[in-house]
Amino acid sequence: QVQLVESGGGLVQAGGSLRLSCAASGSIFSINTMGWYRQAPGKQRELVAVITSGGSTNYADSVKGRFTISRDNAKNTVSLQMNSLKPEDTAVYYCNYRRQYSGSAYCDYWGQGTQVTVSS
């Protein structure tokens, strides 16, 4: 099992910045992907940004150039720096840890979620 504890989030005006952090503990496998997803009211959960243990990143088109994901493998943490925030970024943000198995199999673990609200 993997436990994820998130911090950060809150209320910010449009154009402002926030930083989310997530710490993983438990059965951490050295090869994994960590990242952030978000879910706005009435919408499906969507990928925001992910980063592999090797440092490869993937961002949603809507956040490219504004958000930066980073991780510390020694501490099993992942962070999301969010700049130039827009009202449409308002959502609950979830930390994700994905352990990849052989082939296409994987197992996802999720944090409890943290609210990000951007006022116009």
Side-chain angles (χ1 to χ4, degrees):
Q1 290 293 320
V2 175
Q3 295 77 44
L4 301 171
V5 178
E6 301 151 341
S7 60
L11 174 64
V12 66
Q13 289 188 331
S17 299
L18 284 174
R19 185 176 181 87
L20 305 181
S21 296
C22 175
S25 62
S27 302
I28 304 298
F29 190 63
S30 59
I31 300 175
N32 60 69
T33 299
M34 295 185 71
W36 296 90
Y37 290 69
R38 68 187 180 187
Q39 187 168 18
K43 295 187 177 181
Q44 289 189 331
R45 190 174 296 189
E46 64 177 3
L47 180 146
V48 177
V50 294
I51 182 169
T52 70
S53 47
S56 297
T57 59
N58 186 33
Y59 293 90
D61 287 342
S62 60
V63 307
K64 284 180 180 177
R66 299 188 298 121
F67 292 10
T68 302
I69 191 169
S70 60
R71 65 183 290 167
D72 184 331
N73 289 336
K75 297 180 179 180
N76 295 318
T77 59
V78 63
S79 297
L80 185 69
Q81 178 65 41
M82 305 184 292
N83 299 328
S84 303
L85 283 160
K86 304 175 180 180
E88 50 264 43
D89 294 318
T90 296
V92 177
Y93 284 69
Y94 295 92
C95 179
N96 171 265
Y97 170 95
R98 172 169 292 185
R99 176 174 175 175
Q100 199 78 37
Y101 294 92
S102 60
S104 60
Y106 61 87
C107 185
D108 278 334
Y109 296 87
W110 297 94
Q112 78 280 6
T114 185
Q115 178 70 46
V116 171
T117 302
V118 184
S119 62
S120 57

